[in-house]
Amino acid sequence: MTHVVACLDGLDPEYLDAVETPGWDRIADRGNAGTCDGLVPSLTNVNNVGIVTASFPAENGVTGNTYYDPERDEQAYMNDPSLLRCRTELQRRADRGETVAALVAKDKLVGMVGQDCDLAASAEDPPDWLADAVGDPPGIYSGGASAWLMDAAVHVLDERDPDVLYVSTTDVIPHKHGPDEAAAEEWVRELDAGVAALAERSDALVATADHGMNYKSVCVDLEAALDREQLDAEVVRLITDEHTYHHQNLGGAAYVYLEDGSADALAPLADIDGVAEVLPAEEAAERFRLPTDAIGDALVLGTESSVFGPVEEGVRGSVELRSHGSHHERRVPYVASTGTTLDYNVEAFRGLE
């Protein structure tokens, strides 16, 4: 019996609504489809780990693309599998003797999601045998990277026949193009064809997304705002990773670690146009199921049109990009051949049964 879970990176429901998707619709007709909540922060690492562990960050420990280590007083990318606080569904299935495989677009996810897999590979750095079979990948920042990954997943199902396959694509297209642009429409069609091909080869499939996407026009410099309030603090912009071409490390969520004082001192941040909410750590942990020991003193969330990052002067500036990270990008689509209903994307593996 072959089970497939696919995470379609950045597939905001608006992109799906803008294009005819016959493959998605066929799966929905015999199963179910809808929208569900992803995790907040609405980021790649947080949601991919949430999906493969079937858990929230409070359990799995992954709280962003980047984290801050107070003991070492440094920020680092959250890619090391040792940071996971629980096992993945793929590991659990491997323990039961099932053959498991993970194919991801970005190499940064291989260690996190591919532990103990019989096959774990990325489109960014695929093994020679996979590139020989499917063709050389077009590059991680290419519009064709997700389509290549889908072709690779179909090849793995055909030739390796794993019991379980996890697939995670890339969101370069929705970062660069709105739902009504030709490049985005082609991207959705390719994803639709890929999902349909995977469904035809599997006994059960659940496809969902890690986060949505919104156009951003405002940038808020939280560091400058804290300096203005004479507060010593470490700001962790949670979207930060090595893939700056996608999002320029500008996203709508940040943790703030205060040198002294309580989160009450951060109240003035909420008055800035472009800051939606300033949540003390305990409130943020309860609302979004985050670990209180790994999110600093507060979670700051942007508005639907804002991101956090440096500006040339003052605390607010103008930007033009598409990005994510806040609660405004948490709604995602799903389709399940099994007929299951998802409330959260982290229920995808359970939805296979």
Side-chain angles (χ1 to χ4, degrees):
M1 182 169 288
T2 302
H3 287 177
V4 175
V5 170
C7 175
L8 308 176
D9 195 352
L11 184 62
D12 190 283
E14 288 190 11
Y15 287 86
L16 203 60
D17 292 341
V19 182
E20 291 187 3
T21 52
W24 190 280
D25 295 342
R26 284 196 302 272
I27 301 168
D29 286 343
R30 72 172 191 265
N32 192 28
T35 57
C36 63
D37 278 343
L39 304 182
V40 177
S42 54
L43 298 167
T44 295
N45 287 25
V46 174
N47 280 274
N48 272 272
V49 169
I51 291 169
V52 298
T53 60
S55 69
F56 291 84
E59 180 180 348
N60 65 55
V62 175
T63 56
N65 291 350
T66 286
Y67 74 104
Y68 174 61
D69 185 334
E71 291 186 4
R72 295 188 309 214
D73 189 27
E74 65 180 22
Q75 297 187 28
Y77 297 143
M78 204 162 201
N79 300 342
D80 192 327
S82 68
L83 297 169
L84 280 173
R85 298 181 180 181
C86 66
R87 291 169 65 76
T88 71
E89 281 295 306
L90 297 174
Q91 288 178 298
R92 296 182 191 111
R93 288 172 178 252
D95 290 344
R96 299 201 297 261
E98 298 180 37
T99 56
V100 295
L103 293 176
V104 298
K106 300 167 185 172
D107 205 49
K108 70 172 187 173
L109 288 176
V110 172
M112 284 282 198
V113 309
Q115 295 183 80
D116 298 333
C117 285
D118 299 279
L119 165 63
S122 74
E124 191 173 1
D125 186 23
D128 290 341
W129 64 266
L130 189 56
D132 289 342
V134 184
D136 290 332
I140 197 65
Y141 302 127
S142 162
S146 291
W148 184 93
L149 191 75
M150 285 298 197
D151 289 342
V154 168
H155 176 78
V156 166
L157 286 184
D158 286 343
E159 300 300 323
R160 298 296 179 99
D161 193 27
D163 295 312
V164 186
L165 172 64
Y166 180 71
V167 184
S168 177
T169 63
T170 181
D171 61 354
V172 63
I173 289 295
H175 268 293
K176 298 298 183 181
H177 301 278
D180 58 349
E181 296 182 40
E185 292 175 352
E186 179 63 19
W187 172 69
V188 175
R189 291 189 191 100
E190 291 170 344
L191 290 178
D192 182 63
V195 169
L198 295 176
E200 290 170 1
R201 289 162 171 80
S202 60
D203 298 288
L205 172 140
V206 176
T208 185
D210 51 354
H211 56 76
M213 195 74 65
N214 276 311
Y215 176 75
K216 309 293 184 178
S217 59
V218 174
C219 185
V220 175
D221 191 330
L222 294 177
E223 288 91 338
L226 291 166
D227 286 344
R228 187 174 65 181
E229 299 297 325
Q230 298 183 321
L231 292 172
D232 291 328
E234 183 82 17
V235 175
V236 186
R237 286 185 280 129
L238 299 173
I239 201 169
T240 302
D241 66 9
E242 60 266 46
H243 296 289
T244 57
Y245 175 80
H246 287 64
H247 44 61
Q248 303 170 46
N249 283 341
L250 301 175
Y255 298 134
V256 178
Y257 288 74
L258 287 166
E259 186 71 24
D260 297 298
S262 72
D264 294 341
L266 299 173
L269 294 180
D271 296 328
I272 300 172
D273 185 11
V275 173
E277 299 190 63
V278 181
L279 301 174
E282 288 193 2
E283 182 179 345
E286 180 177 358
R287 180 170 165 187
F288 298 122
R289 304 194 202 185
L290 300 169
T292 54
D293 64 336
I295 60 173
D297 295 287
L299 168 64
V300 185
L301 296 170
T303 64
E304 186 172 340
S305 61
S306 71
V307 290
F308 301 135
V311 301
E312 290 187 2
E313 186 175 343
V315 299
R316 291 180 77 253
S318 298
V319 292
E320 292 185 8
L321 80 159
R322 304 185 64 80
S323 194
H324 53 96
S326 80
H327 53 311
H328 295 287
E329 292 85 35
R330 76 179 303 185
R331 292 297 286 176
V332 294
Y334 73 88
V335 65
S337 68
T338 58
T340 193
T341 297
L342 301 188
D343 294 319
Y344 292 92
N345 60 1
V346 301
E347 298 166 348
F349 271 93
R350 297 189 185 115
L352 293 169
E353 305 301 332

